[in-house]
Amino acid sequence: MMKTIEQESTQYIQEADQHYYLPVFKRYPITITHGKGFKVWDTEKRSYIDVLAGIAVNSVGHCHPKVVKAIKKQAEKLMHISNLLTSEPQVRLAQKLVELSGLDRAFFGNSGAEAVEGAFKLARKYAHKHGRGGTIISMEGCFHGRTLATAAAGTPKYQKGFEPIPEGFVQAAFNDIDSVKALVDDQTAAIIVEPVQWEGGIRTAQLEFLQALRELCDAQNIVLIFDEIQCGIARTGKMFAWQRFGVKPDIITLAKALGGGVPIGATMVIQKIADALALGDHGTTFGGNPLTCAAALATLEVIEEEKLEEKALHTGARLMEYACQKAAKEPAVAGVDGMGLMVGIALNRPARPVVEHMLSKGVLASAVGANTIRFVPPLNIEWKALKEAVDVVFESLKELPA
């Protein structure tokens, strides 16, 4: 029988991981045992300032008391019943998200990829009912998931070796409306865009580009989908990224931060597109069960009660300003981009070695693309800790060979 983490060394746990778990992750060389707020601890009792937050998931911090209490209370009462029955937490969460988002309907799944798959199905069903084809236009440099359909909409490197890739997906250049227009025809069902891209490095959509997409979709009766899986739920300084731009989509996909650490995805949709689906057209076994919905409701309540939208807006602006000031004096930095508490420091060298060095200095971050260090910390992180994390980036650049 495998011993507990407390009984075994970090080396043993990591060797067991390599032996038993499918080796598809390039893991960092630490094993985390627990977390609280914006900090985590490893098996060697070392603490880390966490600006990764489970990849933008732990938006209210690790083990927030209100979220933990909600999970415990719901787990003792009812965890799962299937979607053949109604539960109060699911209805309350759907109502809450509709009121916050300005869209009309919610559907819950277990992940971001499922939320995007649901969006594709909604868009295609609506398009077919209006005499259009089913082609989805996505943006170069995007990421929408790792299922076959979401990979087909995404970066080609995630498609290699998994052929045949589903058809009906084409890509336009990000922030280039002429590139999008060149692909639109009577087969186009939807355009999907991340208001803030993150897979190849943090890149923010231009307001004019999103406005032009909205105008194009309105003129052609094309569905506009915003993938807010990483940038949604207050991370940009508003509950939904579309509210920062003032450009309202027809469908929003959510996940990551929605459950405060519990896996849940959501597809939000306006009524006229929701009307395209009939009974049985879509479904899920686990999606939106009472336990995950209770956790999500508690997470949203924390965000509202602690005014984390405002904090993300102001702390994010402070982070951008400070990082840009430091970057101006560091030739290894190519640029800084982002919105709210979703910021990328782009280097002119590989980012992974820098991130690994940061671990030795007590900061947990991540590398995206080849050369960007991503900051997506808990929204309630203290400025002192966030400033220290930025300082560690620049200290690490000086300490490592170019």
Side-chain angles (χ1 to χ4, degrees), residues 38 42 66 71 104 111 123 150 168-169 221 236 265 290 302 312-313 319 339 376:
F38 57 84
D42 68 10
K66 182 159 188 169
I71 291 171
D104 302 306
S111 66
T150 55
F169 297 91
N221 198 23
T236 65
V302 169
L313 186 67
L319 170 61
M339 179 175 282
V376 281

Side-chain angles (χ1 to χ4, degrees), residues 121-138:
K121 289 178 70 176
L122 278 159
R124 283 182 168 173
K125 194 66 182 290
Y126 176 80
H128 294 334
K129 287 200 168 188
H130 290 81
R132 301 186 72 90
T135 300
I136 310 289
I137 299 175
S138 62

